[in-house]
Amino acid sequence: MTNKDNKQEPRHSKLSSDDYRKGNRKDEQHGMSEARFWTQRLGKTGIRALHILGIAASSGGILYGVDKALWVGWWMLAMSTGMIMMLMEILRSRLWLIQLKGVLTFVKLLLLASFWVIPQHKPELFITILVMSVFISHGPAGLRHYSIWHRRRIDEKRKMNG
C-alpha cells in the first residue's frame, strides 16, 4: 500500500495515510490510540517523578531528625502521589493486589505505619522501604508478577484490537 508520496506504510495497517498523519492509528500492543497511550504514559511518569521528588526531599528530615515543619509538605506530596499510583495500578488490574509488586507495597505501608510505633527506628525502616522500592520497581518481571495466591507468575492477558 502506498500513499501520494509513494512511501510504503506497514502492511499490517488497515488505516489510511490520513489516519497516520492525524495520529488516529491504534497502537497494536496497547489497544489504544497512540495519543492516548502517550498521554497516559507521560501522566504516570509525571506522578512517579513527583513521588520520587517528595521522597527525596523528605528523606533528610526522616534520616537526620530535621524539624518536621521543614519537610512535611514534601512528605505529603510523596504520600499522596503514592496513593494515586496505587489506585491507578488497582484500577488497571486487580491482580496487582496478589502480585508481589502489590503485596510488597502494602508491606511498605505497614513499615511506614510503624514509624509511630517505633519512632527510634525511623531511619532503618525508611532505608528498608527504599531498598524494597528498588526491587519492586526494577526487579525482574517474574518477581514482580509472582502471585502469592497462585504460587506462580501471573500476567494480565492483553486485549488486542483488530
Side-chain angles (χ1 to χ4, degrees):
M1 178 186 301
T2 61
N3 64 16
K4 295 175 187 174
D5 300 322
N6 291 329
K7 293 181 183 175
Q8 269 194 332
E9 295 176 15
R11 291 183 180 193
H12 63 275
S13 172
K14 294 180 183 175
L15 299 172
S16 71
S17 58
D18 286 337
D19 286 331
Y20 272 91
R21 282 192 292 275
K22 293 176 185 172
N24 293 335
R25 61 189 174 273
K26 297 278 185 184
D27 181 298
E28 289 186 15
Q29 181 181 0
H30 301 285
M32 65 179 73
S33 72
E34 186 173 349
R36 183 172 177 186
F37 168 77
W38 281 105
T39 300
Q40 287 182 0
R41 184 67 177 248
L42 292 174
K44 189 175 178 180
T45 301
I47 292 168
R48 183 175 287 120
L50 288 172
H51 183 68
I52 292 170
L53 175 63
I55 295 295
S58 61
S59 64
I62 295 167
L63 292 173
Y64 300 110
V66 175
D67 181 26
K68 192 174 185 178
L70 296 173
W71 56 270
V72 73
W74 295 108
W75 182 251
M76 296 307 293
L77 175 67
M79 294 301 100
S80 60
T81 53
M83 295 304 283
I84 290 168
M85 289 189 303
M86 247 178 70
L87 181 62
M88 289 170 58
E89 290 296 332
I90 293 168
L91 291 174
R92 188 181 64 77
S93 172
R94 286 182 286 177
L95 285 177
W96 184 85
L97 294 166
I98 60 170
Q99 292 172 322
L100 273 182
K101 58 186 175 177
V103 172
L104 292 177
T105 299
F106 286 108
V107 170
K108 290 185 337 182
L109 289 173
L110 287 172
L111 291 172
L112 280 173
S114 67
F115 278 20
W116 288 272
V117 178
I118 47 175
Q120 68 275 20
H121 293 292
K122 273 186 189 177
E124 295 86 354
L125 293 166
F126 187 75
I127 290 168
T128 301
I129 293 166
L130 286 177
V131 171
M132 285 177 65
S133 297
V134 171
F135 281 97
I136 294 168
S137 296
H138 302 287
L143 173 70
R144 291 181 289 116
H145 296 172
Y146 181 83
S147 166
I148 62 165
W149 183 263
H150 299 92
R151 304 280 188 228
R152 62 183 171 87
R153 177 180 172 162
I154 300 290
D155 292 309
E156 187 76 23
K157 292 181 182 173
R158 297 220 183 248
K159 295 178 184 174
M160 299 298 286
N161 293 343

